[in-house]
Each structure stands twice: as structure tokens, then as C-alpha cells.
């Protein structure tokens, strides 16, 4: 059984009338239950674009994506997915409680408040539930973005720079929660440009370089290679 | 499909009646009420109340309801909403239902807060004179005075008096068996207010015959008799039920347009619907509403398809 299968994903951004700038070229990826894939890459390597395509929010030029054997973007695929985008423009007048309840109710009518409170407890959002989204700091806002993805306990989580802006306590709790979810058969794809985020969590690592998947495999091997600055530069393809 | 629709409606409703919007409705109502305090006659206050509540109500709620779907889309929040496994039909109908109910609540709040401010105001209680004489005779007006009201009363009369002259006005009053004549000197003015006895213990209608002397011309406007004072009260400030349908259609047009277009376009659609005279034909209203709802569902589905290809 696979949670996510991406085959030969190719994507390009339009530049001018006819020119296209390739952002992803023939990317293959498979996530199985219990696997946490760390998606490493320098800024601009195509991590966020890949996650948007996997979530079904952007269309690839070529290739296929399926989540639990359903095409990306379909209703069944959306039900199985929790997506943390890199940035969200919240409606500023709404409170944290409003937005979490709205998103929770749009997924399922069962235990709406209980689900919201569970996520709020996990991410230390309880004191912020009555606060307007426009008044939140960056880190607090990121916690709300994470919260909305965890509301429905989806079997697959696509996390784009999910750990950025989080304080140590929340980060620790979140990592524990993700580990529990992985043990329960969920799958996680965590895009980051910081190798430290993957230690102790990722079971596999894929490295994107200029839109191409240049390396992928068990996390231990690749993270060991990235243990030194020189090794990391070599892994990410950054020239000092 | 009903439950997701109701859930979407609840979410939209909560956003329409956000504390800021409720405060705006209260303030707009208070301003309307204060404006009504400056008007002199009950009839004018009543009609101004209806016009102000329907106009300000429309102008208040249209940007609020148009901003919901359009703003979400502009911010990217739409994608998080769109990723939820809720059908587009439920999303669109829920948005429309929640917005319309929320907008109705805001307009009602505006109307009631205006009423709270203005209803305590005391205004003159006037009786309009009805012409009760033949054309070739001096004008005689009949005033139906409630039996419980005692005088003296104030007669308000529109007249024409040339500058630097004065005219004479003779009033013959008759009530029941009693008669009374009084003469008044009128200076150049457009309106004259004269005391009229209630001729106690006589009761019933009061008849006043007005005879204009040299230099005085009576205006065509019917004279009014101020028979006392009364509180404006809730009964004088009736909510504009005739405008309710027009506002509801305008809100519907704004929300439905916002499901597919930008905020400005949606607001324009709502304003146009507000300005167009309301259709009294029920089948026409139903057809318009149905088409707008269909447009909202299609717009939501297409926009969602764009956000979630």
C-alpha cells in the first residue's frame, strides 16, 4: 500500500510570452505508511512547487500524482491530506478559533470543537484561540497553519517549512506528535532547507537540486553525508 | 448535502456578524437615529427612517458580504478552504445562506438601534384641515380633534404677504353649538402660527373659516392644527419591509458575484441590484434568485477548479 505516488513530475514557470523556466524535471517519489520523507534543497530548488503539486493545488506540466490511489486534487485525495503551505494570508478579522472551527467544520461535522481543542493543546494555541489572526506573530501564525493541517488526523501530511518560527517547546511536542502519527501508519513529507529539522524524524531523504531529484534514500546515509558543512554543500549542490 | 451546507452557512454567518460588523451596524443606526432627531414632522421622520435604513443598510452589508469569498481568494485562504472535502454546491449555497441571514441581522440591528435613538423624541401631534366649503365661499376647514385633547391649539397656516406690508386674517371658529371670531394682523412671512381656542365645553370636529383681508393671500396648502405633543414611538418608525426584498436580492447578487469575481465586481453587482426597482412579481424574484444561486455554484466550482486544478 502506498500513501503517495508521484511519477515523472515536470513543472515550469512561465517567463515572458513563450519562455518557460523549468522548476521540476521528472521527479519520482513514493511515500508509504510509516515513512517520513525529508525533502531537502536549497532555496529555489523546487520544494514548495513539488508540495503544491502533490497537494493538488498546482498542476504539473507532465506526470501523475496519486494519493491513496486517487488522483491529486480529487475529493478522496483531499480527504486524505493535510497540507501546510509555506505562507497563508489569513483573513485578519477572524479569530484563531473562528478559522480552525470553520476549517474543521468544512471537513467533518463530528466533534468540531473537540478536534480544535486537541490541536490547540498540541500547538499551545489555547491562549490564542480568541485572538484575531491579524494580531499574531509569525511563529503564532505558523502554529495556526500547522493546526489546520492536523485537524482531521489525515493519513498523509505535506509540510512545507513547517518548523520555521516555532519555539522549542512547541517544536518538541510537534515532533513527538509526528512520530506518533508515523508509528500509527501515517506518512509525512517534510520540505525544509535545514538538515537539523530531519534528524530523529525522517526515515528517508530526497534532495532536490535545480528541480531535479538528485539523491534519495534512507535518512541515515544521507544525513551522515550532510554532517559537515562541506558535505552539506556537496549534497545540496551549493558551491562555496 | 444539507449538513455541509448548514456548516458552511454557519461559518459564513459567524464571519458576517463579526463584532466589528455588529459595531458598524450599531454606529450606522445611531447616526440614522440622530439624523431623524433633526426632522420637524412625524410623517417626514417616518419616511426618512425607511429611506435611511434601507440605503445605509444596503451600503453597510454589501461590502461585508462581497468581501468574504473575494477576500479569501485574494489572500490564498481559499486554497485551504478548497482543499476541504466539501462539495462546491454546499460551499456556495452555505456561503449565500449564511451571508443573507447575517446581512439581514445587520440591517435589523441598524434599524433597531436607529429606533432606540429616535423613538424617545417628542414631536407635535398635528391634525390636517379638510376643506369643507364650496369653491365660491371663503375657505372653511374641518379638523377632526380627538375628544380627549384640550386646547388651546396652534393653527399653522401658509400665507403670502408682500414685503413692508401687513395683512389681516379673520378666523371664524365653530365647534358644536359654539362660535367664535378672532382677528389677527399678519406680518410679511411665509407661515403664520396662531392660537385657536378649544371652545370648551364644546366637543366634536372644529370648523375654521379663514377670511383674508387686504394684502394677505392664503396659500393652497392645507392648514394644520397642532393639538398636542406625542412621542415619536416605535409605531412611527416601521422597518422598511418594502425594501427588504430589494436588499436581500442585492446581497444575493453581491455574494453570488463574489463567488466568481473580484470584490469590486461583486460590490458593483450588489449596488446595481440595490438601485434597480424591486420586482413585485414572485415568479420573477424566484427566477432571479435561482439564476443567481446557479451562478454562485458554478462560480465556486470553477474558482475551486482553478485553485485545485
Amino acid at each position: 500500500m502506498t500513501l503517495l505516488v508521484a511519477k515523472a513530475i515536470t513543472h515550469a514557470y512561465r517567463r515572458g510570452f513563450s519562455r518557460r523556466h523549468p522548476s521540476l524535471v521528472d521527479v519520482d517519489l513514493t511515500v508509504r505508511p510509516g515513512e517520513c520523507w525529508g525533502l531537502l534543497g536549497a532555496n529555489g530548488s523546487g520544494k514548495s512547487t513539488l508540495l503544491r503539486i502533490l497537494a493538488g493545488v498546482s498542476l504539473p506540466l507532465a506526470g501523475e500524482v496519486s494519493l491513496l490511489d486517487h488522483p491529486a486534487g480529487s475529493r478522496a485525495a483531499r480527504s486524505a491530506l493535510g497540507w501546510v503551505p509555506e505562507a497563508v494570508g489569513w483573513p485578519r478579522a477572524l479569530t484563531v478559533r473562528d478559522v480552525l472551527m470553520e476549517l474543521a467544520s468544512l471537513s467533518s461535522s463530528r466533534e468540531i470543537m473537540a478536534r480544535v481543542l486537541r490541536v490547540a493543546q498540541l500547538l499551545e494555541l489555547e491562549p490564542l484561540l480568541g485572538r484575531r489572526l491579524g494580531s499574531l506573530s509569525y511563529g503564532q501564525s505558523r502554529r495556526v497553519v500547522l493546526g489546520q493541517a492536523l485537524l482531521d488526523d489525515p493519513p498523509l501530511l505535506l509540510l512545507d517549512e513547517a518548523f520555521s518560527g516555532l519555539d522549542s517547546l512547541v517544536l518538541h511536542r510537534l515532533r513527538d506528535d509526528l512520530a506518533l502519527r508515523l508509528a500509527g501508519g501515517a506518512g509525512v513529507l517534510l520540505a525544509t532547507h535545514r538538515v537539523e529539522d530531519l534528524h530523529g524524524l525522517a526515515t528517508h531523504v530526497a534532495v532536490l537540486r535545480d528541480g531535479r531529484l538528485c539523491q534519495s534514500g534512507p535518512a541515515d546515509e544521507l544525513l551522515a553525508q550532510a554532517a559537515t558543512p562541506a558535505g552539506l554543500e556537496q549534497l545540496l549542490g551549493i558551491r562555496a | 448535502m444539507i449538513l455541509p451546507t448548514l456548516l458552511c452557512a454557519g461559518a459564513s454567518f459567524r464571519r458576517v456578524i463579526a463584532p466589528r460588523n455588529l459595531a458598524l451596524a450599531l454606529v450606522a443606526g445611531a447616526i440614522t437615529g440622530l439624523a431623524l432627531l433633526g426632522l420637524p414632522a412625524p410623517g417626514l421622520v417616518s419616511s426618512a427612517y425607511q429611506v435611511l435604513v434601507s440605503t445605509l443598510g444596503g451600503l453597510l452589508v454589501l461590502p461585508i458580504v462581497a468581501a468574504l469569498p473575494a477576500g479569501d481568494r485574494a489572500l490564498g485562504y481559499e486554497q485551504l478552504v478548497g482543499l476541504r472535502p466539501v462539495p462546491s454546491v454546499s460551499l456556495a449555497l452555505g456561503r449565500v445562506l449564511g451571508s443573507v441571514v447575517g446581512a439581514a441581522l445587520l440591517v435589523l440591528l441598524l434599524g433597531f438601534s436607529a429606533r432606540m435613538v429616535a423613538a424617545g423624541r417628542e414631536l407635535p401631534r398635528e391634525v390636517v384641515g379638510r376643506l369643507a366649503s364650496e369653491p365660491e365661499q371663503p375657505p372653511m376647514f374641518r379638523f377632526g380633534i380627538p375628544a380627549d385633547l384640550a386646547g388651546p391649539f396652534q393653527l399653522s397656516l401658509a400665507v403670502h404677504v408682500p414685503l413692508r406690508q401687513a395683512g389681516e386674517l379673520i378666523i371664524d371658529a365653530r365647534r358644536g353649538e359654539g362660535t367664535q371670531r378672532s382677528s389677527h394682523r399678519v406680518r410679511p412671512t411665509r407661515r403664520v402660527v396662531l392660537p385657536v381656542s378649544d371652545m370648551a365645553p364644546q366637543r366634536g370636529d372644529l370648523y375654521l373659516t379663514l377670511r383674508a383681508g387686504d394684502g394677505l393671500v392664503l396659500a393652497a396648502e392645507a392648514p394644520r392644527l397642532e393639538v398636542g405633543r406625542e412621542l415619536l414611538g416605535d409605531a412611527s418608525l416601521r422597518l422598511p419591509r418594502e425594501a427588504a426584498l430589494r436588499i436581500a436580492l442585492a446581497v444575493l447578487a453581491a455574494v453570488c458575484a463574489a463567488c466568481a469575481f473580484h470584490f469590486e465586481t461583486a460590490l458593483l453587482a450588489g449596488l446595481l441590484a440595490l438601485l434597480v426597482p424591486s420586482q413585485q412579481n414572485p415568479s420573477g424574484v424566484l427566477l432571479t434568485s435561482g439564476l443567481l444561486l446557479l451562478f454562485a455554484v458554478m462560480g465556486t466550482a470553477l474558482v475551486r477548479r482553478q485553485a485545485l486544478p
Side-chain angles (χ1 to χ4, degrees):
Chain A
M1 181 193 171
T2 54
L3 292 173
L4 169 77
V5 178
K7 284 181 188 166
I9 301 297
T10 299
H11 183 267
Y13 286 109
R14 208 175 266 283
R15 277 191 180 173
F17 185 69
S18 59
R19 290 172 58 203
R20 283 178 182 273
H21 174 74
S23 49
L24 292 171
V25 180
D26 282 334
V27 175
D28 294 314
L29 194 66
T30 302
V31 179
R32 293 182 180 81
E35 287 183 352
C36 174
W37 278 81
L39 193 59
L40 270 178
N43 292 333
S45 57
K47 302 186 297 293
S48 295
T49 307
L50 179 60
L51 255 66
R52 289 176 64 82
I53 290 170
L54 298 180
V57 175
S58 290
L59 270 181
L61 272 181
E64 286 177 8
V65 181
S66 65
L67 285 78
L68 293 169
D69 298 329
H70 302 287
S74 66
R75 198 174 164 193
R78 297 199 310 265
S79 303
L81 177 71
W83 178 48
V84 174
E86 197 176 8
V88 175
W90 295 114
R92 296 174 63 85
L94 289 186
T95 63
V96 174
R97 183 187 289 107
D98 288 340
V99 82
L100 288 179
M101 281 189 66
E102 176 168 345
L103 292 173
S105 65
L106 290 178
S107 300
S108 162
S109 58
R110 286 181 192 161
E111 298 178 332
I112 294 171
M113 200 60 211
R115 279 151 59 207
V116 169
L117 288 176
R118 199 166 56 237
V119 164
Q121 195 176 13
L122 170 71
L123 297 169
E124 294 277 324
L125 283 171
E126 282 166 317
L128 304 176
L129 283 176
R131 285 264 299 273
R132 289 180 189 283
L133 288 156
S135 70
L136 299 184
S137 70
Y138 173 73
Q140 290 168 334
S141 176
R142 289 301 295 170
R143 278 192 264 161
V144 183
V145 183
L146 269 164
Q148 61 81 29
L150 301 176
L151 276 171
D152 308 324
D153 293 325
L156 179 66
L157 285 166
L158 302 179
L159 312 178
D160 195 353
E161 305 291 354
F163 297 160
S164 89
L166 299 185
D167 61 49
S168 303
L169 179 63
V170 174
L171 183 60
H172 185 71
R173 279 189 179 186
L174 179 63
R175 289 174 68 95
D176 284 351
D177 182 75
L178 289 177
L180 275 176
R181 286 171 192 268
L182 288 167
V188 175
L189 182 55
L190 173 60
T192 181
H193 55 269
R194 296 187 315 177
V195 180
E196 310 87 80
D197 290 346
L198 303 180
H199 284 294
L201 192 62
T203 56
H204 298 75
V205 170
V207 181
L208 272 177
R209 194 187 297 166
D210 295 331
R212 292 172 193 276
L213 201 61
C214 60
Q215 292 198 57
S216 66
D220 297 343
E221 294 171 19
L222 288 171
L223 292 180
Q225 192 182 332
T228 61
L232 183 61
E233 281 174 8
Q234 192 185 2
L235 186 68
L236 299 180
I238 302 170
R239 288 181 188 153
Chain B
M1 198 187 83
I2 293 173
L3 189 61
T5 305
L6 290 177
L7 289 171
C8 294
S12 293
F13 177 74
R14 274 203 309 273
R15 293 176 66 182
V16 172
I17 60 156
R20 187 183 60 175
N21 299 340
L22 291 174
L24 272 175
L26 279 172
V27 170
I31 291 171
T32 305
L34 289 173
L36 297 177
L37 290 179
L39 298 176
L44 193 58
V45 173
S46 179
S47 53
Y49 173 75
Q50 300 222 352
V51 170
L52 284 173
V53 168
S54 53
T55 308
L56 279 180
L59 292 178
L60 172 79
V61 296
L62 287 181
I64 291 171
V65 297
L68 288 187
D72 288 353
R73 197 158 52 250
L75 289 167
Y77 176 61
E78 177 95 349
Q79 287 185 338
L80 292 184
V81 173
L83 269 178
R84 258 60 200 180
V86 60
S88 295
V89 178
S90 298
L91 194 54
L93 294 183
R95 274 174 172 172
V96 169
L97 183 66
S99 299
V100 170
V101 175
L105 192 74
L106 289 182
V107 175
L108 283 176
L109 186 64
L110 190 155
F112 282 120
S113 61
R115 201 185 257 189
M116 279 181 67
V117 173
R121 190 191 169 197
E122 230 183 27
L123 280 170
R125 184 175 178 183
E126 290 183 332
V127 177
V128 180
R130 307 278 174 208
L131 193 62
S133 58
E134 299 298 323
E136 62 272 11
Q137 293 175 336
M140 179 174 70
F141 294 93
R142 178 173 62 83
F143 295 90
I145 298 172
D148 57 322
L149 294 177
F153 309 126
Q154 301 289 325
L155 177 69
S156 172
L157 194 63
V159 294
H160 302 294
V161 184
L163 284 172
R164 287 189 285 278
Q165 285 189 26
E168 188 180 20
L169 177 68
I170 297 167
I171 303 176
D172 286 321
R174 178 166 62 82
R175 195 177 193 190
E177 299 297 316
T179 57
Q180 199 172 67
R181 169 171 283 200
S182 59
S183 175
H184 306 272
R185 203 165 170 75
V186 180
R187 292 180 171 183
T189 181
R190 295 178 68 186
R191 180 169 289 277
V192 63
V193 178
L194 303 167
V196 174
S197 164
D198 68 347
M199 302 177 70
Q202 304 296 335
R203 280 292 170 261
D205 291 350
L206 177 66
Y207 291 85
L208 297 179
T209 305
L210 308 176
R211 299 173 202 279
D214 291 341
L216 179 73
V217 178
L218 294 174
E221 184 187 321
R224 294 168 178 274
L225 199 64
E226 185 187 323
V227 294
R229 297 187 74 78
E230 63 180 350
L231 285 177
L232 191 55
D234 291 348
S236 308
L237 301 173
R238 288 187 306 156
L239 285 167
R241 290 182 188 166
E242 305 77 36
L245 182 63
R246 197 151 40 93
I247 297 175
L249 276 177
V251 169
L252 193 62
V255 185
C256 295
C259 287
F261 298 122
H262 292 293
F263 169 77
E264 293 83 354
T265 315
L267 188 59
L268 190 64
L271 286 174
L272 283 174
L274 194 65
L275 292 173
V276 170
S278 61
Q279 294 188 37
Q280 298 301 324
N281 180 5
S283 56
V285 172
L286 279 177
L287 183 65
T288 310
S289 307
L291 287 174
L292 284 170
L293 287 175
L294 184 66
F295 182 82
V297 173
M298 287 176 64
T300 303
L302 287 171
V303 166
R304 222 171 161 195
R305 205 182 167 88
Q306 240 176 14
L308 308 170

